Amino acid sequence: MVLCPARPPRRTRTSNGATGATRSSAFMFPYFIMLIFCGIPLFFMELSFGQFASQGCLGVWRLSPMFKGVGYGMMVVSTYIGIYYNVVICIAFYYFFSSMTHVLPWAYCNNPWNTPDCTGVLDASNLTNGSRPATLPSNLSHLLNHSLQRTSPSEEYWRRYVLKLSDDIGNFGEVRMPLLGCLGVSWVVVFLCLIRGVKSSGKVVYFTATFPYVVLTILFVRGVTLEGAFTGIMYYLTPQWDKILEAKVWGDAASQIFYSLGCAWGGLITMASYNKFHNNCYRDSIIISITNCATSVYAGFVIFSILGFMANHLGVDVSRVADHGPGLAFVAYPEALTLLPISPLWSLLFFFMLILLGLGTQFCLLETLVTAIVDEVGNEWILKKKTYVTLGVAVAGFLLGIPLTSQAGIYWLLLMDNYAASFSLVVISCIMCVSIMYIYGHRNYFQDIQMMLGFPPPLFFQICWRFVSPAIIFFILIFTVIQYQPITYNHYQYPGWAVAIGFLMALSSVICIPLYALFQLCRTDGDTLLQRLKNATKPSRDWGPALLEHRTGRYAPTIPASPEDGLEVQPLHPDKAQIPMVGSNGSSRLQDSRI
């Protein structure tokens, strides 16, 4: 069974400076629609795809070699996400280490990095207790609403101390050495957990994927017992039907589903390739996808119960204390934790949970890249030296992540998150779905699943794969383009050249598909273009189950006819009868089915 770690809920992004939390209530309905008609079907497709061929995101495209560019696109997306995702983990490490103190450093405004405009929750509470002159407003709500540009100590700690944020994306400034050190720690932990491939990471994932539920439950029990928690939860659940017709809400819901379930990253295909051939991946896809998304919803209750308590303490609306993107994890929630008794303990638990969730995702990303490289080279040397490939990928990821630890790093991180890992995911999934259903043929694929599982995919999945999922993805892409707005970070407007780089990053994964298709057409035999096209799209001779014992039906080696029959039977794929499939996903991979 594939064990996919539940990722933390990705906050919706807004381009007008409003918080993503203001869309959360309108977000739930599109989120579940996308889960049912896109998320679960595509999750099942990728699991069955990888499990049937026992190959990574590149090797599986023996199904239709012309579309191997889809696999390269998945590798590019995983590379981008792997680079910036580990930077997020390193920031969580930094906050985790900073929480090992009696008083959290972002609790008060009496630190060297604070400005005169800083107004802390605890500092403001002291005002009402008579610790300041009586000329100041005595009502806490009036004090906080007096200035719409309230600057909290957690925000100044984040911007002025942790990041030392520069004024422009092009002004890199200095590399923040504490963050660089934590980035090194993150990559070392990831490498050590993957040093033996899935044999080592599988054992670690059992902890990283389950222990966060313990932390979430502890924080949930603490959160719902706080005054004002119900207000925050109702804000989280109350629908805003006027937002439902906005294409961006649906686009954000699709992005969240693809991001949360890991669709189009290549990780699902890679991890499923380690399953036993007859493993019930249909059951796995239902259980994992529903559990994963239920965890995201559960985490929303945990977050908004605390934010509701904070809003009640300040006497303001929940939307005033909520934030989006990294501001939620590293500004709003840490500030809310300062209001709890023994706040360093809750802070340690929260950031430890973020680290575990992030590491679980990072394992999958790194293993996707390593497996694709090993499968593509496929010789005996690289199979024995897979650990060195893992080390090389980890070192490259660390070096490429160094600019993101600079003073302009957060600008680049959000740029990569908004462009490199957004609409390109849905484009890749749409093309994968179309190529399997209409190029390879839906009947062929349904027969493959029946041979593997013992039953064909249910009618609902057949309809979604052929019609519903591609149509939904296509219309979301169209409306997202129509309603596109440039990226911003708080009040900072990204310059045109930075947005252009963002589009280039998004296109760099999608462009792999047509480029490799042209390359495959040029190298394929055929007298005419149509003949070349047919030869490039039909399955290669070594497509099918990895082990000879699983090659039944149309994949079975043909037994030569006896001379008495007077017939000569030609094998459909003569290579398969004599040459076993070799690669990192071969027989040794099938022994790791527990992962």
Side-chain angles (χ1 to χ4, degrees):
M1 176 177 177
V2 179
L3 192 58
C4 297
R7 297 175 176 85
R10 189 189 207 189
R11 301 307 304 151
T12 56
R13 298 180 295 267
T14 58
S15 55
N16 58 1
T19 63
T22 60
R23 293 178 180 264
S24 61
S25 53
F27 182 77
M28 298 293 285
F29 179 74
Y31 179 79
F32 285 112
I33 293 296
M34 295 301 302
L35 170 65
I36 294 171
F37 292 101
C38 282
I40 298 177
L42 293 176
F43 194 91
F44 179 33
M45 172 176 279
E46 292 198 33
L47 288 191
S48 58
F49 196 17
Q51 181 173 305
F52 181 80
S54 295
Q55 292 290 313
C57 62
L58 293 181
V60 292
W61 289 103
R62 293 165 179 163
L63 169 141
S64 184
M66 183 175 172
F67 289 92
K68 192 175 181 178
V70 174
Y72 283 109
M74 290 178 174
M75 285 188 64
V76 173
V77 170
S78 292
T79 300
Y80 285 134
I81 298 176
I83 291 172
Y84 79 77
Y85 207 87
N86 225 18
V87 175
V88 176
I89 298 174
C90 93
I91 298 175
F93 265 114
Y94 184 86
Y95 271 78
F96 178 77
F97 295 140
S98 300
S99 301
M100 297 179 181
T101 179
H102 294 293
V103 178
L104 293 175
W106 56 84
Y108 296 98
C109 291
N110 57 354
N111 302 287
W113 57 82
N114 291 127
T115 65
D117 297 328
C118 178
T119 304
V121 175
L122 299 178
D123 292 328
S125 299
N126 290 334
L127 291 178
T128 63
N129 294 330
S131 59
R132 298 290 178 88
T135 56
L136 292 176
S138 59
N139 184 275
L140 180 59
S141 177
H142 177 73
L143 171 65
L144 294 175
N145 288 311
H146 181 70
S147 173
L148 295 178
Q149 303 297 329
R150 171 180 175 265
T151 304
S152 65
S154 61
E155 182 179 356
E156 292 198 349
Y157 180 78
W158 163 250
R159 294 170 62 90
R160 298 176 58 84
Y161 184 75
V162 178
L163 301 179
K164 288 190 176 179
L165 189 65
S166 65
D167 58 353
D168 186 72
I169 189 173
N171 182 14
F172 283 90
E174 64 180 13
V175 172
R176 298 287 295 122
M177 297 308 296
L179 294 182
L180 182 63
C182 291
L183 181 64
V185 171
S186 300
W187 277 111
V188 169
V189 171
V190 172
F191 169 71
L192 292 178
C193 292
L194 288 175
I195 195 169
R196 295 182 59 204
V198 294
K199 292 181 180 179
S200 56
S201 66
K203 298 175 182 178
V204 177
V205 165
Y206 278 116
F207 177 73
T208 61
T210 55
F211 186 75
Y213 287 99
V214 178
V215 179
L216 274 177
T217 302
I218 294 173
L219 293 174
F220 175 75
V221 172
R222 182 64 184 120
V224 296
T225 58
L226 297 172
E227 185 179 359
F230 182 75
T231 303
I233 293 175
M234 289 306 299
Y235 176 85
Y236 176 56
L237 296 177
T238 303
Q240 294 180 1
W241 298 109
D242 58 315
K243 303 287 186 179
I244 295 296
L245 298 180
E246 293 186 11
K248 183 169 179 57
V249 174
W250 290 87
D252 287 338
S255 179
Q256 170 67 28
I257 287 295
F258 281 86
Y259 186 87
S260 178
L261 294 179
C263 297
W265 292 17
L268 295 178
I269 294 175
T270 300
M271 292 302 173
S273 65
Y274 290 94
N275 285 342
K276 290 182 178 179
F277 182 74
H278 295 296
N279 174 66
N280 191 346
C281 59
Y282 167 68
R283 175 201 60 202
D284 294 348
S285 64
I286 299 296
I287 295 175
I288 295 173
S289 55
I290 292 179
T291 303
N292 199 312
C293 293
T295 302
S296 296
V297 175
Y298 183 39
F301 281 95
V302 175
I303 291 171
F304 277 88
S305 63
I306 299 291
L307 294 181
F309 163 67
M310 181 178 177
N312 179 76
H313 183 86
L314 298 177
V316 298
D317 189 75
V318 179
S319 60
R320 291 285 306 276
V321 299
D323 206 338
H324 69 291
L328 179 66
F330 301 115
V331 177
Y333 205 81
E335 183 179 15
L337 293 176
T338 61
L339 298 175
L340 300 178
I342 323 176
S343 56
L345 173 63
W346 304 110
S347 182
L348 284 170
L349 286 174
F350 175 71
F351 288 109
F352 185 57
M353 179 189 68
L354 287 187
I355 291 169
L356 292 182
L357 291 172
L359 288 177
T361 300
Q362 196 68 16
F363 295 157
C364 186
L365 291 169
L366 191 62
E367 184 64 30
T368 298
L369 298 175
V370 171
T371 299
I373 294 171
V374 172
D375 285 349
E376 188 66 8
V377 178
N379 57 40
E380 192 69 22
W381 181 86
I382 201 168
L383 290 174
K384 294 181 178 179
K385 304 295 183 181
K386 187 177 178 180
T387 300
Y388 293 101
V389 178
T390 305
L391 177 61
V393 173
V395 171
F398 171 74
L399 295 177
L400 292 173
I402 291 178
L404 300 185
T405 62
S406 67
Q407 291 179 256
I410 192 64
Y411 297 123
W412 290 98
L413 189 151
L414 293 176
L415 187 72
M416 295 175 71
D417 182 51
N418 276 264
Y419 290 96
S422 56
F423 85 93
S424 56
L425 293 176
V426 293
V427 171
I428 290 173
S429 277
C430 186
I431 295 177
M432 179 187 69
C433 202
V434 171
S435 61
I436 294 177
M437 290 294 104
Y438 295 98
I439 304 300
Y440 178 64
H442 64 277
R443 291 187 179 88
N444 290 332
Y445 195 69
F446 297 162
Q447 291 173 7
D448 291 342
I449 292 180
Q450 184 167 8
M451 183 180 73
M452 180 174 63
L453 301 182
F455 57 88
L459 181 62
F460 172 78
F461 288 90
Q462 296 182 23
I463 295 174
C464 285
W465 288 345
R466 295 183 61 191
F467 309 110
V468 179
S469 298
I472 291 177
I473 293 173
F474 177 76
F475 283 112
I476 286 177
L477 283 174
I478 296 299
F479 286 111
T480 300
V481 171
I482 293 175
Q483 297 190 3
Y484 167 77
Q485 292 179 336
I487 179 179
T488 61
Y489 176 53
N490 293 335
H491 301 290
Y492 175 75
Q493 184 76 40
Y494 278 68
W497 62 267
V499 175
I501 292 177
F503 277 111
L504 290 177
M505 286 192 293
L507 292 175
S508 62
S509 57
V510 178
I511 200 66
C512 294
I513 301 174
L515 288 181
Y516 191 87
L518 292 174
F519 169 74
Q520 188 67 22
L521 276 176
C522 294
R523 64 190 294 232
T524 302
D525 296 331
D527 297 331
T528 64
L529 178 62
L530 182 60
Q531 187 63 42
R532 285 173 177 262
L533 189 63
K534 289 181 178 179
N535 292 336
T537 54
K538 70 180 182 181
S540 62
R541 293 181 299 175
D542 54 357
W543 161 250
L547 297 182
L548 192 62
E549 62 187 87
H550 296 139
R551 291 182 173 276
T552 59
R554 57 199 175 99
Y555 297 102
T558 305
I559 301 175
S562 63
E564 299 175 358
D565 297 332
L567 298 173
E568 182 180 359
V569 180
Q570 295 293 336
L572 180 62
H573 302 309
D575 296 359
K576 292 182 179 180
Q578 294 114 5
I579 303 176
M581 303 286 286
V582 178
S584 68
N585 310 42
S587 57
S588 62
R589 165 169 293 191
L590 299 177
Q591 301 301 318
D592 299 316
S593 60
R594 290 173 300 173
I595 311 305

